[in-house]
Amino acid sequence: MTRFSVLLFARYAELLGSERVEIDLPASATAAELIDALRRMPGGALLPSHPFLAMNHSQVRSGQQLDPDAELALLPPMAGG
Amino acid sequence: MTRFSVLLFARYAELLGSERVEIDLPASATAAELIDALRRMPGGALLPSHPFLAMNHSQVRSGQQLDPDAELALLPPMAGG
Amino acid sequence: MAFLQRDPLELEPLVHDISAPTNGAVATFAGIVRDHHAGRGVVGLSYSAYEPMAEAICRQIVIEAEQQFDARVGLVHRLGEVAIGEAAVLVAAVAAHRGPAFDAVRWVIDAVKSRVPIWKRERYADGSEAWVDPTAVAGVVPAGIPG
Amino acid sequence: MAFLQRDPLELEPLVHDISAPTNGAVATFAGIVRDHHAGRGVVGLSYSAYEPMAEAICRQIVIEAEQQFDARVGLVHRLGEVAIGEAAVLVAAVAAHRGPAFDAVRWVIDAVKSRVPIWKRERYADGSEAWVDPTAVAGVVPAGIPG
């Protein structure tokens, strides 16, 4: 298992009660697998099934494999402007 | 004959050498007849054949009869902005 | 409110006059005097107007824009000498949302250019001057008048 | 240049930084905090961001806009508490002519709204608070979180 660290913001940070969570997953884990694991955490059930996941500031697609050394962040719908 | 007074601006004032000209025409004169008379004045030959003539701040069409008591003005192409 | 002004134009008071706490969008436009025109170096220019008609047409343009776009509109045009880099005209629109604000500003500046009796005399780097005629064929330099 | 700022936003320095004597048109947009949203009275709000990504995306948006529209673009977004009537975001574009200036500003504000990771928490007149979700069905008030 490999440790993945995920930044959380705004409403998602409130749902999971933290601005950063750590999750152990197989080293080959995809975005979809990380999101599934987040949704099984306490408070995670209210996360949408396809939230915006950023890896090093770029959006990753569901099937994309994650780099455990990259900066991962789960982003609620953008509300700037 | 009735006296019509016409305000001139910018390049048209320079062409006719004055910011105001007076012309005697029949009381029933139209915009086109006034413009013809202006174009026969010294310097008037360089006026276009259909310049913008305003009567009390609104454009008048060629065939429209003029009110000698109205404020008449001959306007070069607008160049504001 | 006067739509024509001989002093330098300022955006902030124009926007302030039309702002309200119900409005979420402010769009503005400034037309700036450039240092060149039709390939010639411009060193200065001055605007003149048929002032009473220009004021009346500006007022009419603002009324039409406010009715058409559900926005509040501010407009002011400079007269007299204007230096390179200074604003010749300012337009501002305040609306609940950005679409009407943008649309109003764009409509107003187009209307100002085509309907308000204002004229521009440019002075060129070679010492000549000319009245600018926006209806002249593009690329044709207006006939110079010795400066 | 920082695209995110905690102090009140000012339009003039933003425009000044991108101005040049060859440019004839300046278009700007300000998004202003309104006193209501989805039918509820808003008494205040605060913006937060995923700051390094937000800075990077803002820079990318400016680069894309400048390439696409032949304009110079300025952009700044407020973070933290913002009072009613204050600007949450400013966009400015300077170009030779007004078309590209307007188009650039409009494109940039649309891109900011859809691409920059910034979130808005509103406080309502009834004492509740909520994160604003622009993707929620129009007219549906976001679930309130007791304030």
Side-chain angles (χ1 to χ4, degrees):
Chain A
M1 301 293 269
T2 301
R3 177 146 297 187
F4 290 83
S5 178
V6 184
L7 302 174
L8 301 170
F9 293 92
R11 181 163 169 267
Y12 295 173
E14 286 186 354
L15 288 176
L16 279 84
S18 174
E19 294 186 338
R20 184 186 196 104
V21 295
E22 313 233 309
I23 296 189
D24 292 326
L25 292 170
S28 64
T30 63
E33 288 161 355
L34 175 69
I35 289 163
D36 281 348
L38 288 168
R39 296 183 77 208
R40 286 191 298 268
M41 293 181 70
L46 287 173
L47 288 174
S49 50
H50 296 88
F52 189 121
L53 181 68
M55 182 161 70
N56 290 338
H57 305 167
S58 293
Q59 186 167 19
V60 290
R61 282 184 301 275
S62 291
Q64 195 169 335
Q65 192 176 319
L66 302 177
D67 174 358
D69 297 325
E71 184 166 293
L72 297 168
L74 202 67
L75 310 182
M78 318 294 186
Chain B
M1 301 294 270
T2 300
R3 177 147 295 189
F4 291 84
S5 179
V6 184
L7 301 174
L8 300 170
F9 293 93
R11 180 163 171 267
Y12 295 173
E14 285 187 353
L15 288 177
L16 280 83
S18 174
E19 294 184 339
R20 182 187 198 104
V21 295
E22 314 233 310
I23 296 192
D24 291 326
L25 292 169
S28 63
T30 63
E33 288 161 356
L34 175 69
I35 288 163
D36 281 348
L38 288 167
R39 296 183 77 209
R40 285 191 298 268
M41 293 180 70
L46 288 173
L47 288 175
S49 49
H50 295 90
F52 189 121
L53 181 67
M55 182 161 68
N56 290 338
H57 304 168
S58 294
Q59 187 168 18
V60 291
R61 283 185 299 275
S62 290
Q64 196 169 333
Q65 192 175 319
L66 302 177
D67 174 358
D69 296 325
E71 185 166 293
L72 298 168
L74 201 68
L75 311 181
M78 317 294 186
Chain C
M1 181 201 157
F3 296 99
L4 305 175
Q5 180 179 314
R6 290 182 182 274
D7 298 324
L9 307 183
E10 290 184 76
L11 196 54
E12 206 180 321
L14 190 72
V15 171
H16 185 264
D17 281 351
I18 56 175
S19 293
T22 52
N23 292 131
V26 182
T28 75
F29 174 79
I32 307 293
V33 174
R34 291 196 285 167
D35 62 1
H36 64 284
H37 177 233
R40 300 172 79 175
V42 174
V43 295
L45 58 72
S46 79
Y47 285 96
S48 58
Y50 176 18
E51 296 194 28
M53 179 171 167
E55 287 279 359
I57 299 287
C58 285
R59 179 168 292 109
Q60 184 59 32
I61 288 170
V62 167
I63 290 169
E64 290 176 27
E66 290 188 338
Q67 290 175 342
Q68 190 173 342
F69 297 105
D70 198 14
R72 294 196 66 200
V73 169
L75 165 64
V76 61
H77 199 294
R78 187 93 179 267
L79 291 186
E81 288 291 318
V82 188
I84 306 298
E86 287 186 340
V89 60
L90 298 180
V91 181
V94 172
H97 300 287
R98 65 192 187 283
F102 282 122
D103 290 344
V105 170
R106 202 157 181 162
W107 187 88
V108 167
I109 187 63
D110 288 348
V112 166
K113 285 175 178 275
S114 64
R115 292 168 54 188
V116 181
I118 293 178
W119 301 282
K120 176 163 62 172
R121 186 170 174 85
E122 290 182 338
R123 292 193 307 279
Y124 302 104
D126 63 8
S128 65
E129 298 189 10
W131 293 103
V132 175
D133 179 358
T135 66
V137 179
V140 174
V141 173
I145 297 164
Chain D
M1 183 200 156
F3 296 100
L4 305 175
Q5 179 179 314
R6 290 181 182 276
D7 297 324
L9 307 183
E10 290 183 76
L11 196 55
E12 204 179 322
L14 191 72
V15 171
H16 185 265
D17 282 352
I18 57 175
S19 293
T22 51
N23 293 132
V26 182
T28 75
F29 175 78
I32 307 294
V33 175
R34 290 195 287 167
D35 62 0
H36 64 285
H37 177 231
R40 301 173 78 176
V42 174
V43 295
L45 56 74
S46 80
Y47 284 96
S48 58
Y50 177 17
E51 295 193 29
M53 178 169 167
E55 287 279 358
I57 299 287
C58 285
R59 179 169 292 108
Q60 185 59 33
I61 287 170
V62 167
I63 290 169
E64 291 176 27
E66 291 187 338
Q67 290 174 343
Q68 191 172 340
F69 298 105
D70 198 15
R72 295 196 65 199
V73 169
L75 165 63
V76 61
H77 199 294
R78 187 92 180 267
L79 291 186
E81 289 290 319
V82 188
I84 307 297
E86 287 185 341
V89 61
L90 298 180
V91 181
V94 172
H97 299 287
R98 65 193 188 282
F102 282 123
D103 291 344
V105 170
R106 203 158 182 161
W107 186 88
V108 167
I109 187 63
D110 288 348
V112 166
K113 286 176 176 275
S114 65
R115 292 168 54 187
V116 181
I118 293 179
W119 302 282
K120 176 162 65 171
R121 188 170 171 85
E122 289 182 339
R123 293 193 307 280
Y124 302 104
D126 63 7
S128 65
E129 299 188 10
W131 294 103
V132 175
D133 179 358
T135 66
V137 179
V140 174
V141 174
I145 297 164

